[in-house]
Amino acid sequence: EAGVAQSPRYKIIEKRQSVAFWCNPISGHATLYWYQQILGQGPKLLIQFQNNGVVDDSQLPKDRFSAERLKGVDSTLKIQPAKLEDSAVYLCASSLNHRTVLTYEQYFGPGTRLTVT
Amino acid sequence: GESVGLHLPTLSVQEGDNSIINCAYSNSASDYFIWYKQESGKGPQFIIDIRSNMDKRQGQRVTVLLNKTVKHLSLQIAATQPGDSAVYFCAETIIQGAQKLVFGQGTRLTINP
């Protein structure tokens, strides 16, 4: 079974520029998550999708971050404009369905390491 | 606010010894806990989970203990191997609802030969 795919793996941009990350979840997984992981810290949830609908975006800085999951499969996360404090690893995860009992396990992709200079 | 913390940021053990990684959680409503392992350059990988109606759960070489009275859980790794070197995170959630995971800061486990 293929895992969660993310691209690019690394990105370096200057502050005030924009950047986009792409995620392809495991086939059949209805729930998709974007996390931000700052160096030395645990991942922090930014946004959660169930199919193509948003379940939780309470910690997404909506003035600069946006995310979409068209057709309920792939997802993109965008930052515009980027700030220095956005430097982090952006992780995508997926799970079968957040409403079913046996699907607590989230499968993580390798992440995109973003450096804002 | 919500937070899950770890007592020790780093832990070094000899190969073959047992390791114990600790975690304190703050949300008394949390009823489900997961330990993740994260190797360098990779995303977190599920190790073992436990529900709040249990105080111990065993897997292959790993055991998770939950003490709800003091809101503490631990991960025990038996006979540590070089491949166990990684950062270990505990995470908490509430089963009902959107299953938002709250992660702790992590403990870096280093295995010495």
Side-chain angles (χ1 to χ4, degrees):
Chain A
E1 176 182 81
V4 176
Q6 290 189 248
S7 68
R9 292 296 313 275
Y10 305 92
K11 189 73 177 179
I12 300 174
I13 61 172
E14 294 181 350
K15 59 183 179 183
R16 292 187 289 274
Q17 287 187 323
S18 62
V19 64
F21 313 124
W22 173 83
C23 172
N24 180 238
I26 292 173
S27 178
H29 281 195
T31 309
L32 184 146
Y33 314 78
W34 282 103
Y35 289 86
Q36 180 192 58
Q37 185 174 24
I38 293 173
L39 185 64
Q41 298 182 15
K44 182 185 81 171
L45 180 70
L46 292 176
I47 188 167
Q48 177 181 340
F49 292 94
Q50 174 70 12
N51 295 311
N52 60 352
V54 175
V55 174
D56 185 344
D57 64 356
S58 58
Q59 297 190 99
L60 186 73
K62 298 179 186 64
D63 58 333
R64 299 184 300 106
F65 286 65
S66 64
E68 60 182 9
R69 192 183 183 197
L70 300 176
K71 302 180 181 179
V73 181
D74 293 4
S75 177
T76 56
L77 175 70
K78 297 179 181 179
I79 307 175
Q80 181 180 16
K83 293 185 176 181
L84 295 176
E85 59 261 36
D86 297 332
S87 293
V89 174
Y90 290 85
L91 294 162
C92 180
S94 69
S95 64
L96 275 171
N97 185 320
H98 80 286
R99 295 188 182 279
T100 61
V101 172
L102 300 178
T103 58
Y104 299 121
E105 184 169 353
Q106 297 181 19
Y107 297 83
F108 284 82
T112 297
R113 182 176 296 278
L114 174 68
T115 302
V116 182
T117 63
Chain B
E2 297 174 314
S3 67
V4 177
L6 293 173
H7 293 311
L8 296 173
T10 61
L11 178 64
S12 260
V13 299
Q14 291 296 121
E15 182 177 350
D17 287 353
N18 297 334
S19 302
I20 299 178
I21 301 171
N22 296 303
C23 175
Y25 64 95
S26 59
N27 187 354
S28 57
S30 293
D31 56 7
Y32 181 67
F33 306 88
I34 307 172
W35 280 100
Y36 280 90
K37 172 186 180 183
Q38 187 172 25
E39 296 175 277
S40 181
K42 298 183 179 180
Q45 178 185 12
F46 177 96
I47 301 174
I48 191 168
D49 59 356
I50 189 168
R51 298 196 185 194
S52 59
N53 61 352
M54 304 171 67
D55 53 20
K56 180 179 181 179
R57 190 164 188 221
Q58 288 186 295
Q60 188 175 16
R61 286 201 305 118
V62 294
T63 301
V64 56
L65 300 177
L66 175 63
N67 185 331
K68 295 182 292 294
T69 302
V70 295
K71 292 187 289 187
H72 179 272
L73 67 158
S74 66
L75 176 70
Q76 300 178 1
I77 305 174
T80 51
Q81 303 167 358
D84 295 330
S85 292
V87 177
Y88 290 81
F89 294 96
C90 65
E92 62 177 313
T93 190
I94 299 172
I95 291 178
Q96 285 193 332
Q99 293 184 24
K100 175 180 170 180
L101 280 178
V102 177
F103 284 81
Q105 186 173 5
T107 294
R108 180 174 297 280
L109 177 65
T110 301
I111 311 301
N112 301 315

